[in-house]
């Protein structure tokens, strides 16, 4: 690899992105005293991970030996050995027998004639003895990068010693380049055999698109369109080094890449991957250029494009490693996407156009033919523009809005200024496709460009609408757009309807005013009907229906029926802001979970077919919510994680996804992770000024605090929810279902009167709206109030009734919580022994729901009732009283002598969660370590 290229793209050793799993595996192995062999292709990040691990574990080693081989020096014998042992030779020489010392000194200094052939045994034993002598003074860490360039003599000696170290405290941390997928190659096997027997091989694979995006952002290559990041990820194959070089080339380029056209490939990458092209014939190179220009090249396509000897020429390229066999068929597949991109970038422009011209007639797919025709043409051409617009419409119908956006922008560039439709009209259609595809940054930039020159009111208002849509939940950031859009709309009812529909969203998101949002939406629907714009009318009616549902307005059901009346617009019907979504929300809030699941599953299937990325994010979240209510916590966790991954990847709907992720983690995953996500959700919504989701995020935070046993923190978060929803005019308690949690937390913190007030207010609205599941949850909360007042018989009756009603409605998790509350009530009754059967029933129901955090709470409660006073109960009760439930459980296990890993296994949480919990315990108790915690237990027992 050229030196300037390596330095330009070198990674900071303290920055490891997308390597959490690999890094964790290596860290675990090193912490056990084992050795690690990192492997993967060039540029995949092995050196970055190796440097980070070495820096972390060097602090615990007495001696650190390092070497980093290079290809240019691999012919020099004993060079790597000199790097490793040269500086410590004086420290160990006295411990070596004379023959070993002489052989090693000769090899390291070059003053003698030592060779493996002449001094082989002495040298091998000398390296082994030297490592053992160093280990006598303390642990040794050997760090070796680029093992593939190690000189053969050093590799042989190091391998001999490594295989014979046994229990000697010497750890090897090495990295070697291997090619191909997970299958082992000869080099990998050779290096693994040369490592200690307990070595763990850790392969570093490609980064995901979201990880590539994070890496580019960290390096300062920000502001790239999502479509550009997608192209970087595809071209780099997820290789971080290649991705950074592509990002750097784009940052240094005076013009941004145009959608639909290949990325520029920097000279450094071309040189890296195209060195073997010189061995190809000219005709084979032309054939590969045609293949690189095609989307899915096959031998048949190459023949149709005029490459008569395609089979022989591609076979020649495959023999040189430029092409790889395709397991799925006869396609011509490049060994790495970067080879194709570099080959295309290296070709002169006339040759590229000729390749596209050949493919424009050879390709069978009309979309591909149109794209090639555009790339084979220079300047404007109305015939080509029309072909591209037709292809964009076809891509849109196929559910590929991102492709439609790229083709639409190509069509705009080929459209003459005086054409009909004009170039800006085609740009706006492409921007609307980009919004559908979840590429708001591209859509916004296109719309802003149109606004710099458009004068027609229709085009200007359309462009303003794209700018507003691209803002997403951060609609408050584009407040200045609305007066300009209203001015451009004039008195045209169609244009005014568009603006007032967006004003409805502004009232809801920015001001948190559901009543005003409802009025704006109703006004927009009337304007759209007057102007004959059925699409906007349907969207406005759906918004009005959503608002009325959440407000508990009596007209909600009627408005939903109006929004579902024919004629319908197919894309609006399945849109996450359309009538289907409004109906789903109404079904969930009306306790019709089975119908809600059927409805949202159908909507999800349709938006996936149409490629509507943002709607897919939301419908995955809706389905997760439905499964959570149904008590299918494991499935809800899977869906919420899928939704959040897609949201983060696309950069859309993240706040809502994080909020739902927190609820799912609290129910079926890791409560500490739930707290982390809930705090992120609150932070995001506050930063965006999103009044709609702020209360939902705070409700998720309060719930997570309650699950972790921190009732006081739960009260703080949920009181804010009560204030926000009261101010917004939200009266339906089924919207966020937080009232039961707040009442329970208030009881646990000694505020039963306030808890009863919360219950009575919510109950009045639930009775008015017929929210049966909410009424049952409120009864469960009231039972806790009555129990706190000593009214045990009434409390038991309430809980029993609530359990039965929740079971009948299919709210499995809430049913299990009622049974758990009943078990605790029985266990706490004066003069009564604990009723294990009640706890057993709660555990059975939580297990059925896969509600692991709740199951752990049941187990902790049983342990506390049956074990009698333990270390936590005995050791300074006043100091431990302030710990949350999870903190008390962790403290108890540590006091009993459990390691962090053992505690994590017994509590069904991660080691990281135990570590974080211990940190909070230390802070609350004013101590510094687990030793101090154990001393608390010992001191209490001594008392």
């Amino acid at each position: 690899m050229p030196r300037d290229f390596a330095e330009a793209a070198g990674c900071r050793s303290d920055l490891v992105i997308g390597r959490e799993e690999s890094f964790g595996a290596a860290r675990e192995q090193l912490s056990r005293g084992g050795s690690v062999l990192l492997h993967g292709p060039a540029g995949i990040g092995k050196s970055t991970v190796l440097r980070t691990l070495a820096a972390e574990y060097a602090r615990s080693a007495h001696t650190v030996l390092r070497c980093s081989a290079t290809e240019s020096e691999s012919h020099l014998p004993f060079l790597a050995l000199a790097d490793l042992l040269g500086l410590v030779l004086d420290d160990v020489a006295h411990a070596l027998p004379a023959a070993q010392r002489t052989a090693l000194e000769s090899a390291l200094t070059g003053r003698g004639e030592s060779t493996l052939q002449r001094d082989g045994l002495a040298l091998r034993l000398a390296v082994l003895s030297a490592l053992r002598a160093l280990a006598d003074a303390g642990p040794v860490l050997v760090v070796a990068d680029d093992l593939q360039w190690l000189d053969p003599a050093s590799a042989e000696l190091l391998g001999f010693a490594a295989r014979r170290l046994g229990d000697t405290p010497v750890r090897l941390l090495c990295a070697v380049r291997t090619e191909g997928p997970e299958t082992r190659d000869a080099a990998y096997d050779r290096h693994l055999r040369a490592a200690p027997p307990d070595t763990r091989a850790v392969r570093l694979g490609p980064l995901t698109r979201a990880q590539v995006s994070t890496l580019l952002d960290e390096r300062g290559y920000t502001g790239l369109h999502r479509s550009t990041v997608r192209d970087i990820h595809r071209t780099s194959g997820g290789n971080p080094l290649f991705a950074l070089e592509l990002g750097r080339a784009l940052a240094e380029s005076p013009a941004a890449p145009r959608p639909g056209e290949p990325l520029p490939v920097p000279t450094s990458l071309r040189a890296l991957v195209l060195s073997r092209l010189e061995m190809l014939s000219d005709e084979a190179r032309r054939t590969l250029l045609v293949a690189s220009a095609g989307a899915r090249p096959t031998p048949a396509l190459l023949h149709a494009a005029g490459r008569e000897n395609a089979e022989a020429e591609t076979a020649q390229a495959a023999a040189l490693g430029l092409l790889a066999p395709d397991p799925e068929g006869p396609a011509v597949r490049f060994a790495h996407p970067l080879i194709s991109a570099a080959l295309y970038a290296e070709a002169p422009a006339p040759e590229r156009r000729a390749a596209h011209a050949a493919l424009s007639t050879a390709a069978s797919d009309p979309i591909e033919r149109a794209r090639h025709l555009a790339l084979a043409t220079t300047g404007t051409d109305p015939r080509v523009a029309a072909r591209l617009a037709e292809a964009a419409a076809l891509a849109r119908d196929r559910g590929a809005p991102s492709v439609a956006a790229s083709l639409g922008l190509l069509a705009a560039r080929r459209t003459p200024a005086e054409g009909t439709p004009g170039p800006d009209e085609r740009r706006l259609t492409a921007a609307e496709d980009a919004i559908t595809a979840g590429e708001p940054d591209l859509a916004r930039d296109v719309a802003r460009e149109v606004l710099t020159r458009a004068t027609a009111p229709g085009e200007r208002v359309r462009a303003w609408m794209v700018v507003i849509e691209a803002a997403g939940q951060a609609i408050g950031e584009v407040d200045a757009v609305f007066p300009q859009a209203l001015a451009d709309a004039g008195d045209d009812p169609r244009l005014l309807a568009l603006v007032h529909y967006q004003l409805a969203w502004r009232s809801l998101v920015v001001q948190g005013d559901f009543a005003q949002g409802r009025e704006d939406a109703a006004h927009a629907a009337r304007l759209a009907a007057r102007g004959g714009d059925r699409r906007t009318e349907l969207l406005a009616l759906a918004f009005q229906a959503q608002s009325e549902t959440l407000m508990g307005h009596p007209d909600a059901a009627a408005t939903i029926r109006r929004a579902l009346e024919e004629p319908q617009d197919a894309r609006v019907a399945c849109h996450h802001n359309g009538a289907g979504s409004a109906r789903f929300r109404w079904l969930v809030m009306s306790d019709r979970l089975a119908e809600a699941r059927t409805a949202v599953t159908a909507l999800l299937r349709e938006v996936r077919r149409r490629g509507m990325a943002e709607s897919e994010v939301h419908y995955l979240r809706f389905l997760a919510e439905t499964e959570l209510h149904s008590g299918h916590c494991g499935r809800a966790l899977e869906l919420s994680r899928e939704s959040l991954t897609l949201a983060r990847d696309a950069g859309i709907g993240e706040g809502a996804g994080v909020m739902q992720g927190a609820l799912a983690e609290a129910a079926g995953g890791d409560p500490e992770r739930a707290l982390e996500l809930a705090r992120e959700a609150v932070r995001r919504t506050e930063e965006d000024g999103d009044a709609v989701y702020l209360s939902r995020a705070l409700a998720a935070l309060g719930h997570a605090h309650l699950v972790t046993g921190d009732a006081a923190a739960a009260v703080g978060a949920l009181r804010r929810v009560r204030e926000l929803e009261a101010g917004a005019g939200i009266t339906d308690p089924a919207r966020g279902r937080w009232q039961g949690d707040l009442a329970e937390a208030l009881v646990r913190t000694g505020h039963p009167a306030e808890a009863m007030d919360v219950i009575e207010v919510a109950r009045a609205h639930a009775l008015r709206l017929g929210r049966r599941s909410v009424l049952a949850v409120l009864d469960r909360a009231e039972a806790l109030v009555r129990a706190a007042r000593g009214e045990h018989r009434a409390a038991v009756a309430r809980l029993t009734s609530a359990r039965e009603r929740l079971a009948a409605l299919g709210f499995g998790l809430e049913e299990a919580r009622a049974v758990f509350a009943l078990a605790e009530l029985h266990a706490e009754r004066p003069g009564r022994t604990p009723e294990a059967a009640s706890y057993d029933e709660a555990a059975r129901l939580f297990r059925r729901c896969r509600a692991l955090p709740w199951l752990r709470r049941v187990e902790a409660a049983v342990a506390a009732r049956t074990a009698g006073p333990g270390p936590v109960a005995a050791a300074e009760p006043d100091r431990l009283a302030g710990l949350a439930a999870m903190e008390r459980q962790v403290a108890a296990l540590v006091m009993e002598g459990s390691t962090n890993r053992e505690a994590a296994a017994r509590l069904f949480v991660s080691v990281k969660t135990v570590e974080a919990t211990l940190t909070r315990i230390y802070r609350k108790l004013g101590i510094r370590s687990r030793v101090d915690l154990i001393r608390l237990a010992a001191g209490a027992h001594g008392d």
Side-chain angles (χ1 to χ4, degrees), residues 781-797:
E782 184 180 345
L784 300 180
V785 176
R786 291 183 177 277
R789 294 173 177 171
E791 302 171 15
H792 292 283
R793 189 182 300 277
V796 168

Side-chain angles (χ1 to χ4, degrees), residues 473 505 508-509 514 576-577 585 618 621-622 625 653 655-657 659-660 681-682 684-686 689-700 724 735:
Q473 295 301 113
W505 279 106
L508 190 65
V509 174
F514 277 70
H576 62 278
N577 290 326
R585 177 60 51 204
H618 288 291
R621 177 172 59 84
F622 290 173
E625 178 187 351
M659 178 272 298
Q660 186 60 45
V682 172
R684 281 181 176 276
T685 52
E686 288 179 334
D690 183 351
V692 173
Y693 274 107
L694 177 57
S695 62
R696 297 291 305 275
L698 285 166
L724 287 169
R735 189 241 179 181

Side-chain angles (χ1 to χ4, degrees), residues 819 838-848 855 858-859:
V819 173
S838 298
Y839 280 124
D840 288 345
E841 176 69 359
R844 182 186 69 80
L845 292 175
F846 284 133
R847 199 173 290 113
R848 184 184 68 184
L855 183 60
V858 174
E859 292 170 347

Side-chain angles (χ1 to χ4, degrees), residues 637 640-641 644 656-666 673-674 677:
L637 191 59
S640 65
R641 287 174 176 171
L644 183 54
V658 172
M659 178 272 298
Q660 186 60 45
L663 292 171
E665 291 286 351
R673 175 65 174 156
L677 289 173

Side-chain angles (χ1 to χ4, degrees), residues 11 48 262 367 520 761 839 891:
C11 297
T48 301
I367 292 177
D520 288 334
V761 170
Y839 280 124

Side-chain angles (χ1 to χ4, degrees), residues 55 106 125 177 226 240 259 456 524 618 648 657 683 729 757 840 888:
S106 175
L125 293 175
R177 179 185 302 179
R226 177 175 175 257
H618 288 291
R648 291 199 195 280
R683 185 182 72 253
D757 180 61
D840 288 345
R888 289 195 297 273

Side-chain angles (χ1 to χ4, degrees), residues 80 147 150-160 163 191 194:
L147 285 185
L150 228 62
D151 62 276
S154 296
E156 167 62 24
L157 293 171
L158 187 60
F160 176 87
R163 291 190 296 271
H191 289 296

